[in-house]
Amino acid sequence: MPFLAGQTVTAAQLERIQPKVHEGAATSALAVSTTTYADIPGATVTFDTAAANAKFKAEAIFDANITTVSGTNLMVGRLVVDGTPDSGGLAVYAMDTQDRATIAQQWTGTLPVAGSHTLKLQGACTASGSGAGSFLQSDTKIIVTVMEVV
């Protein structure tokens, strides 16, 4: 609903139109050696929206480290929105030697219902054979900016 000329605007309406930023940083490393995604501990944000169709922009940094090499290891990070993996892309980095990399990705979307929402990061290692790695605590984080509708 737009503001109309001459309309009295309430404090609650003004509160809803300002962007809100939420940040979650990893609290411990996530060791990965399979293509099964797992939550990165602490890289989660939970917040409430007052109205349906709030927009979000999520930005993630994955601090990836390959510890065991087997062919080419793909360190893969993804965003999960309210329990559903986001289809807007993956953060991917191919490593064929012991290596460490900072991988970034951004997502945008709409939260169709009002209420509590949780966005979190997950990681996996698509290694051929016995490759393994981890998403480290030191620099893995998610930053979410939410813009509400009035």
Side-chain angles (χ1 to χ4, degrees), residues 33-126:
S33 61
T34 70
T35 58
T36 302
Y37 285 96
D39 295 350
I40 298 173
T44 301
V45 295
T46 300
F47 54 89
D48 292 323
T49 57
N53 298 317
K55 306 288 186 200
F56 72 85
K57 177 181 181 183
E59 302 170 274
I61 300 296
F62 296 88
D63 186 0
N65 182 39
I66 286 291
T67 54
T68 305
V69 179
S70 177
T72 298
N73 300 279
L74 295 179
M75 294 296 287
V76 184
R78 72 177 181 185
L79 175 70
V80 176
V81 180
D82 292 335
T84 302
D86 190 272
S87 61
L90 300 170
V92 181
Y93 189 74
M95 300 178 187
D96 57 7
T97 61
Q98 287 187 337
D99 197 1
R100 182 173 177 183
T102 304
I103 312 164
Q105 183 59 280
Q106 297 180 343
W107 300 268
T108 58
T110 301
L111 302 167
V113 297
S116 180
H117 300 281
T118 300
L119 280 69
K120 63 183 175 181
L121 300 180
Q122 290 185 330
C125 178
T126 61

